[in-house]
Amino acid sequence: MRLFLFLILTTGITLAATPDPASVVVLYNKAIPESAKLAETYRAARSIPAENLVGLDLPKSDDISREDYDKGLVKPLRGIFDSKGWWKLGKNQENLTLPVQNQIRFIAVMRGVPLRIRNTSATPPPIDLQKPFEGRNEAAVDSELAAFGIQGLPTLGVVNNAYFKSEKPFAEAGMPFLVLVARIDAAKWETCERMIKDAVATEKTGLWGRAYVDIANKIPEGDQWLEGVAKANLSTGIPTVVDRFNDTLPTNYPMTDASLYYGWYEWNVNGPFLNPRFQFRPGAVAMHLHSFSAEQIRDPNKNWSAALLERGACCTIGNTYEPYLGITHYFDILHKRLLDGSTFAEAAYAAMPALSWQGVVFGDPLYRPFIHLDGSGEKQPGDNDYRALRMASLQWDSKPAELHDQLAKAVERTHSGVLAEALGLRYRAISLNDDAKKWFGVARENYTNTADKLRQEFNIISIDRAVGHKDLAIRELRDARTIYAAIPESQALTGWLNILDPPPPPPADPTKVPKIK
């Protein structure tokens, strides 16, 4: 990959400023020893002052009542901010008491602090799409905490997020009445520790790898967010596999080298993540849009947030209760802010329209996965091809024909499967399907890993499926299933075959008497 390495010296990209560790409070549950231990692990990893550790006596369950939240969490936390002089309170035009100065910009919530605030009604009203907030005061603890300094806010419905769509670092946004809250929480304590370790380690090298975007074609608004992610990656030089079929990626789909995943819309984890061999790259950013993606965080085989973290993701987002699509995280904004060098907390809150609602941010709030998109950072052999793609994109993004020519020459010299597939994905993105198929074929030959070879079959078949060549796609799937039968990922071929060529229903059992309606 020496072809592109000289470009590192000529990009001129300005790196994002390092957040001040003293601007972070680490919140844990004093009633759970492991929570205190995790807090100290995070504090030490980020060199946060010891005085910024805050332990409160809280329920040991993931749910908390509104009364316990107000009395056991918000009231003592406000008292600590007062006593330590972290903020200065004043009045706004609506005569609300709120912080007008604030030294604290982030709160890192540790596992053990409750996740959800229950509705005050024992029998809350059913969700009414015409009156979405009527009787709804259940919420994510973290979303409430983001505005905990503002006294007298209503508990019903939502509060507008003033940082939504901001492009400024939070330190420059002039919003002392808000704090950005993210939690280091997962199904296992060990996973939480790994999330911290991976975030710190990845910032030394940068996050490199392949992206997978699974567009469900359900609702245009959500689909457009995911299209925005794919478009940003094309410009950035991140090779991105995009699936635009109504079904999500099939079980055991060969998702290798995954550093980014954005998808929707299934209730529980499925597809590639059911493969026991699957693991994200360290530092990976992964999320799946669903109303109840963080309904719970203890079972890694239910919902999405816990599942993605348990499979190696470093950070994700989720919703504790029904959030409604328009006021959940906008994936395209979140992704763009990350690419610009923002922390994960800044990116997530810039992408979230409402507070005092259902959104949760999981991961190190200070984590910046893309601060080395200029080619800086420690080099690792497994990143070389992905770094080369980025450098080529920086040099020739305005000249796509030259970019493709340079990549083709690099493939010929290096026999890189990664570069060949990336070139095929670029041609696919601009609908040059014959060129895309050619380079996917080259990638198949160049890869040594069988699962990577199989993904090229999917890349080719997806083109035939998309343009309506159903019979050809079925034949290709059957042929590939014979070739790749020995690996678990071949189950994904059966998944697509069952969609395109459904098996006949099982014959009737003559021993059973049919029910008469």
Side-chain angles (χ1 to χ4, degrees), residues 476-498:
E476 291 170 327
L477 286 166
R478 287 175 175 161
D479 290 344
R481 192 165 60 172
T482 300
I483 296 170
Y484 298 95
I487 64 172
E489 289 78 5
S490 66
Q491 185 175 348
L493 296 163
T494 300
W496 270 19
L497 266 174
N498 288 343

Side-chain angles (χ1 to χ4, degrees), residues 89-107:
L89 300 178
K91 298 279 188 178
N92 68 358
Q93 294 179 343
E94 288 77 32
N95 204 35
L96 288 175
T97 299
L98 77 174
V100 294
Q101 295 179 17
N102 199 341
Q103 298 176 29
I104 303 301
R105 300 189 180 100
F106 304 91
I107 296 181

